[in-house]
Amino acid sequence: MMEPAVRRIGVFTSGGDAPGMNAAIRAVVRASLHFGVECIGIRRGYFGLISGDFTKLDFESVSDISRRGGTILHSARSLEFIEEEGRMKALATCKLLGIDALVGIGGDGTFMGLLSLVESGISVIGIPGTIDNDIACSTYTIGYDTACNTALESIDRLRDTMKSHERCSVVEVMGHRAGHLAVSVGIACGATVVLVPERQVDLDHDVIEPIRRTRLGGRTHFMVIVAEGVPGGAYGVAEQIRNATALDTRVTVLGHVQRGGSPTSRDRMVATYMGHEAVRLLVEGKSCRVVALNGETLVDYDITEALSMHKELDYRGLSVLNHLTGMK
Ligand code: F6P
C-alpha cells in the first residue's frame, strides 16, 4: 500500500442531523485505519472545532453505531465559524491535535465551512448528509430515505383516521427551502396535493377548487402535504381550506420525528460508501471535494463547483401525482 497523503483525519457532523450519519462516521474511522491513518472525532461540528472538543476514535468505538439514528459526535450550527476569529481558533485546534485533514458530514453550510479552510493547507472532504436531499451535486443525500419512510408511516396512520371521520388532513413535513421530501412523500402516500416552497400556487385555484370538484365526485377525505417553508405553513393552508370548504380540516406537523430513527439499508449503504470514499480521496492526496452520487455511481466534485450547482425539484413527479389524484 502506498504512503497515505494525510496522517490524521478529523471527522465531524454539522447542521441538522440525519439518519445514517453514524454509518458514515464508522466508515471514515474504519477506512482510515485500513489505510494507516489516524482518526479523531470532533464533537458538535464547527463549534467543537473552535473549542477543541474532540474524542479519539478507534476500531471498537464505532462498533454497532450504523443502525443508530442521530450522530454520536453530536451536531450544531455555529455562527462563530463564519467570522475570521472563529476560523483562526479552529485552525489552532487542528494544529494542536495534529489534524491535517477534515471530513465534514452535513449540508451546503458544512461545505462552505470546509471551503473556507482550504487555503490553510488542511485537506478537506465533504459528505452530503441531510434529510432534505437538497445538495445540488448529489442525486442523493444521507438520511433522505429514512426520513421519507418515517413521514410515510405517520401519514398512512393519519389516513386511516381521516378516512373514518371524512376529514381533510394537512400534514407539514420538513423542508424549509426545499420540497424534495414533500414531493417524494406525497407521491408515495397518494396525496391529494403537495405544496412546496419552490413553486407558488394560487390556493383557491390550485387547491380549494379541485378539492370541491373531487368532493362533488364523491371523495370524502383529503390529504394535503405542505413543506415547512411554504408561506403560512400547514396552519395557514388549513385555515384557508377550512374557511372556503367547511371541511373538518386537521393539521399535523411531523417535525423532528422525521430526523430520528434507525437508518434504512439505503442510508446505511450510501453512508458507508461515501465515508470510505472520502478517506480514499484524502489518502490519494485529493482535497476540496464533495463525495456525491450521480444516479447510483459514486463521484466527487470540487466544493466550489458543487456549491454553484442547482438541483431541480421533481416537477415531473408532481405532475404525475396530479394526474393520478384527479386534481388537475
Ligand atoms: O436541514 C434539515 C432540516 O431538517 C430542515 O428541513 C429544517 O428546516 C431544519 O433542518 C430544522 O433545523 P433545526 O433542527 O435546527 O430547527
Side-chain angles (χ1 to χ4, degrees), residues 77 130-132 174-176 228 256 259:
R77 301 184 197 272
T130 161
I131 66 157
D132 291 340
M174 274 194 159
H176 197 61
E228 189 187 355
H256 287 83
R259 287 234 301 255

Side-chain angles (χ1 to χ4, degrees), residues 272-286:
T272 301
Y273 282 128
M274 286 184 171
H276 178 273
E277 182 65 2
V279 176
R280 202 188 61 79
L281 290 171
L282 287 171
V283 165
E284 276 188 359
K286 306 256 173 59

Side-chain angles (χ1 to χ4, degrees), residues 13-25 65-72 75 105-106 127-133 140-151 174 181 255-272 274:
T13 48
S14 170
D17 64 350
M21 280 183 164
N22 282 329
I25 294 167
I65 64 168
S66 291
R67 67 189 169 98
R68 299 184 196 281
T71 156
I72 60 159
S75 194
I105 308 162
I127 296 179
T130 161
I131 66 157
D132 291 340
N133 201 20
Y140 187 80
T141 62
I142 296 166
Y144 185 59
D145 187 55
T146 309
C148 284
N149 282 301
T150 304
M174 274 194 159
L181 186 66
H256 287 83
V257 118
Q258 296 157 100
R259 287 234 301 255
S262 181
T264 58
S265 66
R266 172 140 179 89
D267 279 325
R268 294 184 210 188
M269 284 186 64
V270 171
T272 301
M274 286 184 171

Side-chain angles (χ1 to χ4, degrees), residues 101-297:
L102 285 168
V103 174
I105 308 162
D108 280 346
T110 309
F111 305 156
M112 273 183 236
L114 289 175
L115 189 62
S116 72
L117 293 175
V118 166
E119 279 186 9
S120 69
I122 292 179
S123 301
V124 297
I125 304 283
I127 296 179
T130 161
I131 66 157
D132 291 340
N133 201 20
D134 62 345
I135 306 295
C137 71
S138 191
T139 320
Y140 187 80
T141 62
I142 296 166
Y144 185 59
D145 187 55
T146 309
C148 284
N149 282 301
T150 304
L152 202 55
E153 193 195 326
S154 301
I155 291 167
D156 285 347
R157 287 168 196 266
L158 269 173
R159 186 187 278 275
D160 290 341
T161 167
M162 290 297 143
K163 205 169 174 181
S164 304
H165 287 268
E166 300 174 300
R167 286 171 171 158
C168 174
S169 188
V170 180
V171 182
E172 186 174 295
V173 299
M174 274 194 159
H176 197 61
R177 281 183 296 267
H180 304 288
L181 186 66
V183 173
S184 291
V185 163
I187 291 171
C189 80
T192 312
V193 64
V194 174
L195 303 180
V196 291
E198 293 91 335
R199 177 184 268 182
Q200 271 208 325
V201 296
D202 173 346
L203 223 59
D204 276 327
H205 180 266
D206 298 320
V207 181
I208 292 163
E209 264 318 304
I211 285 182
R212 279 205 189 103
R213 246 194 346 264
T214 42
R215 178 72 191 91
L216 285 171
R219 174 157 283 257
T220 59
H221 73 282
F222 304 88
M223 181 64 71
V224 177
I225 306 292
V226 179
E228 189 187 355
V230 167
Y235 283 100
V237 170
E239 197 183 332
Q240 291 194 53
I241 295 176
R242 192 180 298 119
N243 291 341
T245 63
L247 277 171
D248 188 359
T249 306
R250 304 296 176 104
V251 172
T252 306
V253 177
L254 293 181
H256 287 83
V257 118
Q258 296 157 100
R259 287 234 301 255
S262 181
T264 58
S265 66
R266 172 140 179 89
D267 279 325
R268 294 184 210 188
M269 284 186 64
V270 171
T272 301
Y273 282 128
M274 286 184 171
H276 178 273
E277 182 65 2
V279 176
R280 202 188 61 79
L281 290 171
L282 287 171
V283 165
E284 276 188 359
K286 306 256 173 59
S287 175
C288 197
R289 313 293 294 173
V290 176
V291 178
L293 270 187
N294 180 0
E296 292 304 308
T297 309

